[in-house]
Amino acid sequence: MSGDALSQDPAELRRRIDTTKAHPARVYDVFLGGKDNYPVDRAAAAAALAANPRGYLDVRHNRDFMRRAVTRLATEDGIRQFLDIGTGLPTAENVHTIAQRIIPDSRVVYVDNDPVVLAHARALLTSGPEGMTDYIDADFMTPSEILEKAGKTLDFDQPIALCLVAILHFVEDEQAYPIVRELVEALPPGSRLVLSHLTEDLNPENIRAVQRTYTERGFTFVLRSRAEVERFFTESSLTLDEPGVVPAHHWRADHAAPVPDQPDAAYLESLDAIERVRYADINDVTDADINVYGGVGAKA
């Protein structure tokens, strides 16, 4: 295990944390039932939930898409290297946990630039004894830096799965498409792109209401159509795996999303809406709930 994350001065990390402005990774953490967030992040999550009361299903099914994609790539394709950019805070079933359970010597590099995520890098770096896990403190906007640092852990002569899960809707077109192309160009043949993205194609009224709550807080928040999401694959000459770019809950569904342990009814009733989300069973999803596409593409 390694990582420039571990050499960071804790006092410097604390200075970098801005608790006055919501951060996407920490808002995501709220919806996943995490505790590594601040009041401003919980307020942003609560506003999004008020705009779309079942919006937590986008977050949770996005995460479950990642579980299924990594499982499939490791199990069926023998992919043993993963580059996960926009990692977010550690939660149950991270990429390395899934991959190393299937292929113990898998190598995983996580990338994020949020100091709260960085402060928790040690939790991310609990690799199995045969595998290797690294954490890079870098921004999606600096692909050359990411690739250079990832090369210390990953073998760029062997296939790599690039995971861009729920990150690109925070990036404008003029940066998003060229950066994805640059990252994919650096990957060897046999590599994969795992990508998920919010859209207004499916249930526009709900997701536009959520979009307003984010943009009011200063986030870039770009909703892309199916064709615009497919463009990330086609512009990089990737072949989409079946079933293509589809609503996340339909991508090779196995109906095995983990069900959280349930507290007693009285305790559950005492919680506010955002706190109850962590106990929700997401297996009752319908097409009217989901606003996120998922897809996996292969590099020839």
Side-chain angles (χ1 to χ4, degrees), residues 73 79 81-85 140 146-147 160-165 179-180 182-184 187 191-195:
L73 292 180
I79 301 293
Q81 299 192 107
F82 296 82
L83 176 57
D84 182 6
I85 302 178
F140 175 78
I146 291 171
L147 292 167
I160 295 168
L162 169 64
C163 300
L164 300 177
V165 178
I179 290 174
V180 172
E182 181 174 346
L183 291 168
V184 172
L187 302 178
S191 293
R192 301 295 196 277
L193 172 62
V194 178
L195 187 152

Side-chain angles (χ1 to χ4, degrees), residues 86-297:
T87 302
L89 283 146
T91 186
E93 295 289 275
N94 294 294
V95 170
H96 77 278
T97 313
I98 301 165
Q100 291 176 1
R101 185 166 56 236
I102 300 164
I103 303 177
D105 64 351
S106 296
R107 295 184 172 204
V108 179
V109 172
Y110 294 108
V111 182
D112 210 297
N113 70 331
D114 175 29
V116 175
V117 177
L118 187 59
H120 289 79
R122 289 184 185 277
L124 282 174
L125 294 173
T126 53
S127 174
E130 298 174 58
M132 185 176 293
T133 310
D134 199 0
Y135 183 95
I136 297 172
D137 177 21
D139 194 295
F140 175 78
M141 305 296 185
T142 60
S144 58
E145 177 188 2
I146 291 171
L147 292 167
E148 178 186 358
K149 291 183 176 180
K152 298 175 183 178
T153 301
L154 304 179
D155 179 358
F156 276 76
D157 291 325
Q158 298 297 322
I160 295 168
L162 169 64
C163 300
L164 300 177
V165 178
I167 182 175
L168 291 170
H169 42 253
F170 297 114
V171 187
E172 298 286 1
D173 284 358
E174 60 268 21
Q175 296 165 314
Y177 290 105
I179 290 174
V180 172
R181 285 198 303 272
E182 181 174 346
L183 291 168
V184 172
E185 284 173 4
L187 302 178
S191 293
R192 301 295 196 277
L193 172 62
V194 178
L195 187 152
S196 65
H197 199 296
L198 285 170
T199 182
E200 61 182 352
D201 285 357
L202 306 173
N203 299 289
E205 184 176 345
N206 287 347
I207 195 62
R208 286 172 188 158
V210 173
Q211 181 185 39
R212 285 193 294 272
T213 71
Y214 279 81
T215 55
E216 286 167 359
R217 287 164 171 79
F219 290 130
T220 296
F221 204 86
V222 183
L223 300 172
R224 293 188 172 97
S225 67
R226 185 197 299 264
E228 289 169 328
V229 174
E230 289 173 343
R231 182 181 158 196
F232 286 111
F233 296 92
T234 58
E235 283 198 356
S236 296
S237 301
L238 299 173
T239 301
L240 274 164
D241 293 355
E242 290 294 333
V245 171
V246 296
H249 64 308
H250 288 312
W251 194 91
R252 302 203 179 193
D254 60 8
H255 308 290
V259 179
D261 293 335
Q262 297 299 300
D264 64 71
Y267 174 74
L268 193 61
E269 187 63 28
S270 72
L271 301 177
D272 63 25
I274 199 68
E275 292 172 323
R276 283 197 293 271
V277 162
R278 76 181 65 178
Y279 299 109
D281 178 1
I282 68 170
N283 291 290
D284 69 344
V285 65
T286 71
D287 289 350
D289 295 319
I290 295 300
N291 303 281
V292 59
Y293 282 131
V296 175

